[in-house]
């Protein structure tokens, strides 16, 4: 047989085979030990550098959830801070501090408005997702930061050329930070309210469940209540992305996204039920471990709370974040379908979509 007959035509390879060859080539150029750590960022600060717990936390009354007696009338356009708390996009803002480099993927700065209120302003892909997520989480009884989406504003003293599509977060909101809490070890583990919060994180597809994204706050003025909440919800409403996204030569691999409607709807939500616990689908390993095993009755309880939200409320939660009309419609439809899945959960296995 001639060498021409032995030559293989690459067109006979399937797409999976070609991807495998590319992956093997990429692995060959990676440094030794490249996979000794998880692809996800570690949960919270490294061991030995955990933020100190103050005496306030040890002696206070821990609170995670408060019943939203006005749930059906809550304003999801303006959120927890209300219309009166919103920044004025036409007003004057003054730059006061920078949290890092303008080249960061989610740069942050501090500003002060004409009324003397202080804000942390975030740029980047998280701003829309975070604004919407705070509305939905607050609607069903959990504390959140006062976040507002601002399409465009003038910030005196800031060198960044583009001051558009920003998340303004109120700093002087009447709460004082006293610590952070751990998803795996806290006073609420096993409760309906904690399982409800985990269900919300799965619903929103929040993939960044680190301790550094939690807070414990006390209302200024001497209240004994310590409110536990998730203070960074930006890594939501998108897609986890492929685990090999950042490997050289695999530039066409699906990447992680935040606040991208077409990616969000592609994610499976519930894989099934096992031993009375819900198996939520989040491909980011550590996030999946945190939301895994929510009791069926607790997930259903959260679904029933969310089911009390009107179409207008859900629409406002997305509209306020600057999403287009088509994106809003896509999100609202998908969120409603996921709520229905929660409400219809049974102890038997639920087939994934």
């Amino acid at each position: 047989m001639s060498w021409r007959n032995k030559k293989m035509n690459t067109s006979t390879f399937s797409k999976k085979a070609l991807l495998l060859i590319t992956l093997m080539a990429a692995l060959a150029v990676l440094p030794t030990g490249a996979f000794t750590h998880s692809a996800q960022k570690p949960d919270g600060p490294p061991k030995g550098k955990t933020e100190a717990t103050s005496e306030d936390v040890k002696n206070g009354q821990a609170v995670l959830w408060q019943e939203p007696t006005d749930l059906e009338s809550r304003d999801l356009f303006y959120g927890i801070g209300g219309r009166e708390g919103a920044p004025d996009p036409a007003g004057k803002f003054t730059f006061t501090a920078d949290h890092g480099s303008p080249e960061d993927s989610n740069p942050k700065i501090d500003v002060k408005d004409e009324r003397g209120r202080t804000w942390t302003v975030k740029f980047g892909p998280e701003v829309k997702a975070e604004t919407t997520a705070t509305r939905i989480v607050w609607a069903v009884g959990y504390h959140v930061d006062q976040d507002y989406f601002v399409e465009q504003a003038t910030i005196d003293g800031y060198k960044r050329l583009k001051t558009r599509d920003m998340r303004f977060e109120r700093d002087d909101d009447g709460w004082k930070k006293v610590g952070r809490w751990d998803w795996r070890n806290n006073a609420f583990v096993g409760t309906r309210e904690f399982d409800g919060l985990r269900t919300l994180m799965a619903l929103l597809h929040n993939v960044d469940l680190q301790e550094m994204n939690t807070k414990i706050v006390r209302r200024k003025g001497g209240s004994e209540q310590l409110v536990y909440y998730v203070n960074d919800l930006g890594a939501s409403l998108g897609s986890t992305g492929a685990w090999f996204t950042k490997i050289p030569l695999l530039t066409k691999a699906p990447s992680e996204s935040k606040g991208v409607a077409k990616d969000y709807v592609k994610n499976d939500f519930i894989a099934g039920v096992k031993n009375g616990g819900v198996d939520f689908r989040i491909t980011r390993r550590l996030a999946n471990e945190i939301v895994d095993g929510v009791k069926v009755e607790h997930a259903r309880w959260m679904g029933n709370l969310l089911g009390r939200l009107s179409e207008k409320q859900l629409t406002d939660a997305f509209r306020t974040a600057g999403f287009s009309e088509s994106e809003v419609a896509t999100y609202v439809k998908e969120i409603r379908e996921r709520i229905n899945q929660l409400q219809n959960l049974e102890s038997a296995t639920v087939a994934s979509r």
Side-chain angles (χ1 to χ4, degrees), residues 12 14 16 59 64 77 79 81 93 123-124 140 155 167 190 234 258 261 289 313 318-319 330 335 348-349:
T12 61
S14 67
K16 290 184 178 180
N59 300 325
L64 180 68
F77 189 85
F93 298 93
F123 302 87
V140 291
I155 302 176
R167 183 226 62 190
K258 302 162 187 176
E289 290 176 0
Q313 286 175 302
F318 289 95
R319 188 167 60 89
T330 298
I335 289 287
T349 300

Side-chain angles (χ1 to χ4, degrees), residues 164-182:
R164 298 181 60 88
D165 296 343
M166 299 165 282
R167 183 226 62 190
F168 273 61
E169 184 173 282
R170 182 80 179 273
D171 289 335
D172 50 345
D173 61 352
W175 296 90
K176 177 186 177 182
K177 175 187 169 186
V178 295
R180 298 191 186 275
W181 56 272
D182 185 348

Side-chain angles (χ1 to χ4, degrees), residues 191-211:
T191 66
R192 180 186 68 173
E193 292 74 20
F194 184 62
D195 274 2
L197 181 61
R198 294 199 290 158
T199 299
L200 280 171
M201 297 302 101
L203 175 86
L204 296 169
H205 204 75
N206 183 0
V207 300
D208 198 7
L209 302 182
Q210 302 184 69
E211 184 178 332

